[in-house]
Amino acid sequence: MKKLCLIILASMLFSGCYTTPSLSGIPANVAEGTYALNTRPEYIKDPKHITYAVNTWVKEQGYTSYDLEVIIVGKMANCYITVPGSTPVEDLPVVKYFDKNKTISAIVGPSAGAIWIILLLIIYLL
């Protein structure tokens, strides 16, 4: 029974550690119809990720086509999106990937909270 509970707990923990690629920040209108947004450089390594992120953002803005230029600066990738463009917006299937940062925060946060509660209980009972 303990193993089953641990398996269920682990699957719940890791199912929350998946995310979909997205663009971040407030879009800066750098020129007429050209927007600058940030994304993670690891999205650039997998074309599915950057295509999904840009395609989703363009679709949310109500445009039907776009052009994309990516410039990597340090730990961020700057995406310059020009609308309308030559690449049509598509209905892409959802792309999910394992996000190690979410996994670390999903483990560290509850663990730190539990340690604080245990310490407070020990201090209170002494």
Side-chain angles (χ1 to χ4, degrees):
M1 185 66 172
K2 286 182 182 180
K3 287 183 180 181
L4 178 62
C5 289
L6 287 174
I7 291 171
I8 291 172
L9 180 65
S11 66
M12 286 174 34
L13 173 71
F14 289 115
S15 67
C17 298
Y18 284 87
T19 190
T20 56
S22 63
L23 301 176
S24 61
I26 299 171
N29 195 355
V30 294
E32 183 65 34
T34 301
Y35 300 91
L37 288 126
N38 296 326
T39 191
R40 295 182 180 178
E42 58 261 23
Y43 292 167
I44 308 304
K45 295 176 187 171
D46 190 348
K48 289 188 310 185
H49 291 173
I50 191 64
T51 302
Y52 179 82
V54 172
N55 190 72
T56 302
W57 184 85
V58 172
K59 190 190 293 186
E60 287 172 357
Q61 305 309 310
Y63 296 108
T64 57
S65 63
Y66 64 92
D67 285 328
L68 174 66
E69 180 183 354
V70 178
I71 299 173
I72 298 176
V73 180
K75 293 186 178 183
M76 291 302 290
N78 295 327
C79 296
Y80 294 94
I81 303 167
T82 304
V83 289
S86 59
T87 306
V89 172
E90 304 174 65
D91 286 328
L92 298 174
V94 176
V95 175
K96 289 191 174 192
Y97 70 97
F98 188 74
D99 189 349
K100 65 181 178 184
N101 295 328
K102 276 190 168 184
T103 306
I104 291 170
S105 63
I107 294 170
V108 171
S111 299
I115 290 170
W116 274 107
I117 291 172
I118 290 169
L119 288 174
L120 290 173
L121 286 173
I122 290 172
I123 292 170
Y124 178 73
L125 294 175
L126 291 177

